[in-house]
């Protein structure tokens, strides 16, 4: 059902943003709150995926919640989730999304957000676990070059610059 799908995606997106801004004044409590928020975001997006398998948005929000959950949990503790993150974002690249009532390629969702997320993942992962600055640069260059100029995401350029400085 499309309406339930949209509601779950909106919930997942909102919970993601809650996790991004949570600050309880205590680092340990804040980290636990972030893990809880991003974990809930993953669950909501996973539930949405089951309702509309051809749509990209739920796969995207599952992936970004998973990525932030992994950061809060610790990259080394979360290495086993890298395959789920990659699969989720690769799904976004081949599915479609609906933006302002129009069907668009999933890769265009959130200003090439799947490219940005994959680029970030390849940059942050240790080399022994699949980290690859060349892949990171490739994904981020595409995100930066193709993002809509009327609604860019500044993280595309920022993350690309970070990779370029590191290589």
């Amino acid at each position: 059902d499309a309406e339930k799908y949209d509601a779950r995606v909106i919930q997942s997106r909102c919970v993601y943003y809650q996790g991004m801004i949570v600050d309880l004044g205590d680092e340990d409590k804040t980290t636990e709150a972030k893990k809880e928020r991003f974990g809930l975001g993953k669950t909501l997006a996973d539930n949405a995926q089951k309702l509309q398998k051809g749509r990209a948005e739920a796969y995207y929000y599952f992936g970004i919640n998973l990525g932030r959950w992994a950061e809060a949990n610790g990259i080394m503790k979360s290495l086993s989730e890298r395959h789920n993150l990659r699969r989720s974002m690769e799904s976004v690249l081949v599915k479609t999304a609906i933006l302002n009532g129009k069907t668009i390629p999933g890769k265009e969702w959130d200003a090439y957000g799947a490219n940005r997320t994959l680029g970030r993942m390849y940059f942050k992962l240790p080399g022994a676990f699949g980290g690859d600055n060349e892949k990171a640069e490739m994904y981020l260059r595409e995100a930066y070059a193709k993002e809509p100029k009327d609604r860019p995401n500044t993280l595309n350029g920022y993350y690309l610059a970070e990779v370029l400085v590191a290589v």
Side-chain angles (χ1 to χ4, degrees), residues 61-73:
Y61 288 108
F62 177 86
I64 65 172
N65 274 292
L66 175 58
R68 295 297 183 178
W69 175 87
E71 284 182 348
N73 198 45

Side-chain angles (χ1 to χ4, degrees), residues 17-91:
Y17 287 114
Q18 288 173 349
M20 292 300 292
I21 63 169
V22 70
D23 183 355
L24 302 176
D26 174 277
E27 189 173 341
D28 290 338
K29 287 181 182 176
T30 296
T31 297
E32 287 307 310
K34 285 179 179 286
K35 289 193 295 193
E36 184 273 326
R37 291 280 87 194
F38 297 132
L40 176 58
K42 289 187 315 177
T43 300
L44 290 164
D46 186 52
N47 290 338
Q49 288 173 12
K50 295 169 185 161
L51 297 171
Q52 298 274 326
K53 293 187 185 295
R55 298 262 308 265
E57 303 94 320
Y59 290 87
Y60 177 69
Y61 288 108
F62 177 86
I64 65 172
N65 274 292
L66 175 58
R68 295 297 183 178
W69 175 87
E71 284 182 348
N73 198 45
I75 297 296
M76 296 307 286
K77 289 182 189 174
S78 305
L79 284 172
S80 63
E81 293 293 337
R82 70 191 185 279
H83 303 297
N84 290 331
L85 178 58
R86 182 181 41 79
R87 276 192 298 270
S88 185
M89 289 301 141
E90 287 174 350
S91 293

